[in-house]
């Protein structure tokens, strides 16, 4: 890169700055962190780094700094289980997990080019598609740190019933990953599931890429997890060093300086990094770790380096390219996958110190879960909701809070009303409670809306984003506006042993989160698709009618 300033690197990871001024400002902050011995103290799991209020939580959340060593015994155990399954003709891996239990395995297997079916959804059609695969060759990995994740528990129940219906013993096909003493461990022991892997309880979900949560599903699918750990081990000494060349210190300092100057977003674009989906993993790590107490960094994952929001990023955003450098990026981060996972974990923990927050709690995540549970306990509340503000073709439009559109004459007018509510340096969040596979065209909404709103625009599949950016939406900078997408289900799936279907759960999650956002005073618009394909096409056309 012409004019690039090398600003920090270690074995397997490199951080480069485009501008010399930004590199110098970050270097000054990094030097201060070096003087405070922040890197070595983190590597030694010093829980005092984030202040006395954070110390109780931090003291039980720092084991991730040594996972490149501590997780080595897992490699042989996972390979042995994989060998057993292959000897039985079982080679299709389905992962039921949310947030930290699914994002890392998805990146690891995508980078390795091995198949993994990921269920981080409550959409009935997407789950039905996973069920339609060859169950005679299928192992289900049920992964939940708390052991009580409602989506994952629903998947487990549905697959158990499907295995039985196909004369397959469910216990022989279910592998569990959870924390010691969780309800899921008890269920697994009682039911005699094939294998239970207990993860280190002193690691939070979003820092768990190199624990059993990341390694078991990826390893069973065929990824080289031994090499992944070796890559992390090669990078670890540089990341834990009190040195101005420490790439994690440089990266954290750059993000911290930019945030202090108003850049509260981090826009990610991939440029041949070789790690598809890495930005989605980093999104959860950064948003949940920093988005609280009215501050934080909002990750924005865009399509490529020429996408709206990246090439035209304003002063409220820092652009980061993953992989090969481009002139339009403020920072370039590259390296091995294992080294990169550890780099961003170290850097995010350092950013927490710079922002003065606890990077290991997630105080606002539970609010949406409680609201969804309340609707599940009283489903008539969701069924007897208000009349839509607008019915137009294959869409119905709702606004659940105090904010109401100024013009409901057309779908385009309603969308324009929402965009007009975006404050200066605010953001627009698109939340699609749809089928990530069949309704993938919904993702075109992000660049279309970014182009017309001029605001940084995120896109998240629901309820997956509730375990990711959902924390930032309620706890971070309160300058977001929200477009929810829900849709009718052509088919639904009962959840055995539960008084609701997947479709009921999916809608409850959308309505519950929408209400929590509205209670925070944020503008929320829900567009319900009575016909998903036709409704999406109609919404795209309406957005294109709005004036950029």
């Amino acid at each position: 890169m012409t004019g690039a300033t090398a600003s920090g690197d270690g074995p397997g990871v490199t951080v480069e700055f485009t501008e010399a001024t930004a590199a110098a400002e970050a270097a000054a902050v990094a030097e201060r962190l070096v003087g405070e011995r922040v890197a070595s103290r983190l590597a030694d799991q010093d829980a005092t780094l984030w202040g006395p209020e954070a110390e109780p939580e931090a003291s039980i959340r720092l084991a991730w700094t040594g996972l490149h060593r501590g997780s080595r015994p897992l490699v042989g155990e996972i390979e042995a289980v994989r060998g057993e399954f292959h000897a039985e003709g079982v080679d299709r891996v389905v992962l039921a997990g949310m947030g930290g239990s699914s994002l890392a395995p998805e990146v690891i297997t995508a980078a390795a080019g091995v198949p993994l079916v990921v269920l981080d959804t409550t959409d009935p059609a997407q789950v039905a598609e996973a069920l339609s695969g060859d169950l005679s060759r299928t192992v289900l990995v049920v992964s939940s740190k708390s052991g009580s994740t409602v989506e994952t528990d629903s998947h487990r129940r549905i697959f158990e019933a499907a295995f039985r219906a196909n004369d397959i013993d469910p216990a022989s096909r279910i592998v569990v990953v959870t924390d010691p003493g969780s309800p899921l461990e008890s269920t697994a022991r009682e039911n005699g599931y094939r294998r239970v892997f207990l993860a280190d309880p002193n690691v939070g979900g979003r820092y768990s890429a190199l624990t059993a949560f990341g390694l078991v599903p990826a390893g069973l699918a065929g990824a080289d997890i031994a090499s992944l750990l070796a890559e992390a081990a090669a990078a670890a000494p540089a990341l834990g060093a009190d040195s101005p060349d420490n790439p994690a210190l440089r990266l954290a300092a750059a993000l911290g300086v930019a945030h202090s100057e108003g850049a509260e977003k981090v826009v990610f674009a991939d440029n041949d990094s070789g790690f598809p989906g890495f930005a989605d993993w980093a999104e959860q790590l950064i948003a949940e770790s920093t988005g609280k107490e009215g501050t934080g960094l909002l990750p924005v994952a865009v399509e490529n380096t020429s996408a709206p929001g990246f090439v035209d990023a304003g002063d409220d955003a820092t652009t980061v390219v993953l992989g090969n450098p481009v002139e339009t990026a403020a920072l370039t981060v590259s390296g091995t996958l294992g080294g990169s996972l550890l780099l961003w974990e170290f850097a995010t923990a350092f950013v927490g110190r710079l922002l003065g927050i606890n990077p290991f709690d997630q105080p606002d995540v539970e609010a949406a879960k409680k609201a969804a549970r309340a609707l599940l306990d009283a489903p008539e509340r969701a069924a007897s909701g208000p009349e839509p503000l607008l019915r137009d073709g294959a869409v119905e439009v709702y606004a659940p809070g105090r904010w109401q559109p100024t013009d409901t004459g057309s779908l385009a007018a309603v969308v324009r009303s929402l965009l007009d509510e975006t404050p200066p340096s605010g953001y627009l969040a698109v939340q699609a409670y749809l089928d990530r596979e069949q309704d993938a065209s919904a993702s075109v909404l992000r660049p279309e809306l970014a182009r017309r709103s001029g605001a940084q625009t995120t896109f998240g599949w629901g309820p997956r984003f509730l375990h990711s950016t959902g924390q930032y939406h309620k706890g971070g900078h309160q300058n977001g506006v929200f477009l929810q997408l829900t849709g009718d289900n052509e088919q639904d799936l009962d959840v055995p042993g539960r008084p609701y279907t997947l479709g009921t759960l999916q809608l409850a999650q959308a309505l519950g989160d929408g209400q929590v956002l509205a209670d925070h005073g944020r503008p929320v618009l829900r567009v319900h698709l009575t016909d998903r394909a036709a409704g999406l096409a109609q919404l795209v056309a309406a957005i294109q009618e709005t004036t950029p």
Side-chain angles (χ1 to χ4, degrees):
M1 178 192 298
T2 304
T5 302
S7 301
D9 63 84
V13 288
T14 299
V15 176
E16 285 185 320
F17 290 73
T18 302
E19 298 294 335
T21 300
E25 291 176 340
V29 174
E31 286 283 4
R32 173 164 61 83
L33 296 176
V34 169
E36 296 167 354
R37 298 181 46 252
V38 169
S40 62
R41 289 166 63 192
L42 177 55
D44 291 338
Q45 302 181 20
D46 182 348
T48 68
L49 281 168
W50 302 273
E53 290 187 9
E55 187 172 348
E57 181 78 21
S59 67
I60 57 171
R61 289 289 179 262
L62 294 177
W64 56 269
T65 63
L67 289 173
H68 50 283
R69 298 182 301 269
S71 290
R72 291 291 304 178
L74 274 173
V75 175
E77 297 175 34
I78 295 168
E79 288 177 348
V81 175
R82 182 170 186 261
E84 293 172 7
F85 278 122
H86 276 234
E88 299 167 13
V90 177
D91 58 2
R92 176 177 180 257
V93 182
V94 177
L95 170 61
M98 302 297 298
S101 297
S102 63
L103 291 166
E106 192 166 48
V107 172
I108 296 167
T109 52
V114 298
L116 176 68
V117 179
V118 176
L119 288 181
D120 53 3
T121 181
T122 45
D123 188 84
Q126 192 172 336
V127 176
E129 178 64 22
L131 285 170
S132 70
D134 189 349
L135 292 181
S136 69
R137 296 175 38 238
T138 298
V139 52
L140 177 71
V141 180
V142 182
S143 185
S144 169
K145 181 175 176 62
S146 68
S148 58
T149 308
V150 64
E151 300 95 333
T152 303
D153 179 67
S154 299
H155 300 150
R156 177 186 65 83
R157 292 169 179 272
I158 290 168
F159 266 80
E160 270 198 344
F163 282 135
R164 289 195 186 96
N166 285 271
D167 297 321
I168 299 169
D169 176 18
S172 71
R173 296 298 187 81
I174 297 179
V175 171
V176 162
V177 185
T178 190
D179 273 6
S182 77
L184 180 55
E185 183 193 3
S186 299
T187 297
R189 305 293 187 196
E190 291 167 4
N191 292 339
Y193 290 160
R194 179 68 168 260
R195 182 64 187 266
V196 178
F197 287 91
L198 297 179
D200 191 328
N202 292 326
V203 178
R206 56 189 176 273
Y207 290 85
S208 66
L210 300 180
T211 69
F213 288 107
L215 301 180
V216 170
L220 291 180
D224 186 352
I225 55 176
S227 293
L228 184 77
L229 290 173
E231 291 168 356
L239 301 177
D242 296 315
S243 164
D245 295 324
N246 182 328
L249 289 179
R250 292 287 199 175
L251 177 56
L255 297 176
V257 168
H259 184 273
S260 69
E261 297 174 350
E264 61 190 37
K265 291 103 176 170
V266 182
V267 186
F268 286 95
D270 193 286
N271 190 30
D272 296 324
S273 72
F275 313 139
F278 190 93
D280 293 331
W281 171 83
E283 179 181 66
Q284 182 200 18
L285 174 69
I286 297 168
E288 272 199 343
S289 296
T290 71
K292 59 201 71 171
E293 300 181 28
T295 189
L297 292 168
L298 175 67
V300 181
V302 303
E303 298 73 27
N304 51 57
T305 56
S306 60
F310 194 87
V311 294
D312 54 354
D315 294 338
D316 64 335
T318 301
T319 49
V320 177
V321 66
L322 304 171
N324 296 323
V326 295
E327 290 287 349
T328 52
L331 295 171
T332 299
V333 181
S334 59
T336 63
L337 179 54
S340 297
L341 292 168
L342 204 56
L343 166 70
W344 281 99
E345 289 173 347
F346 266 82
T348 301
F350 296 152
V351 167
R353 179 177 171 90
L354 292 174
L355 297 186
I357 51 90
N358 175 4
F360 304 111
D361 66 350
Q362 48 281 332
D364 301 290
V365 166
E366 191 63 25
K369 296 180 184 179
K370 288 181 179 178
R373 283 195 294 266
L375 289 170
L376 288 175
D377 291 339
E380 67 278 1
R381 288 175 54 199
S384 61
E387 283 293 304
L389 300 175
L390 172 71
R391 284 191 175 96
D392 183 0
V395 303
E396 298 173 346
V397 179
Y398 302 82
R402 294 188 298 274
W403 173 80
Q404 297 291 300
T406 55
D407 185 347
T408 58
S410 68
L411 182 57
V414 171
V415 171
R416 184 71 259 172
S417 291
L418 180 69
L419 300 188
D420 288 344
E421 288 297 310
T422 310
S425 298
Y427 68 95
L428 171 64
V430 183
Q431 305 171 338
Y433 290 84
L434 300 171
D435 183 333
R436 188 151 64 107
E437 305 298 331
Q438 296 300 316
D439 301 322
S441 62
S443 61
V444 74
L445 296 174
R446 195 216 70 80
E448 288 290 342
L449 286 165
R451 190 176 294 113
R452 281 159 178 79
S453 69
Q456 287 296 340
T457 302
T458 67
F459 183 93
W461 293 103
R464 158 174 156 152
F465 76 85
L466 292 176
H467 301 257
S468 177
T469 51
Q471 165 62 41
Y472 185 98
H473 295 157
K474 291 94 172 176
H477 295 272
Q478 292 302 292
N479 56 6
V481 299
F482 299 87
L483 174 62
Q484 286 190 330
L485 304 180
T486 56
D488 282 356
N489 292 299
E490 293 185 2
Q491 59 179 322
D492 206 345
L493 289 174
D494 290 327
V495 180
R498 290 290 183 261
Y500 50 79
T501 66
L502 273 187
T504 303
L505 173 58
Q506 182 184 42
L507 183 59
Q509 289 175 314
L511 296 180
D513 190 51
Q515 189 58 59
V516 172
L517 291 169
D519 290 346
H520 276 69
R522 305 316 309 154
V524 180
L525 187 72
R526 179 167 70 91
V527 177
H528 183 79
L529 314 174
T530 56
D531 178 300
R532 293 193 179 193
L536 280 173
Q538 192 178 336
L539 180 57
V540 171
I543 291 169
Q544 291 173 340
E545 288 179 28
T546 63
T547 304

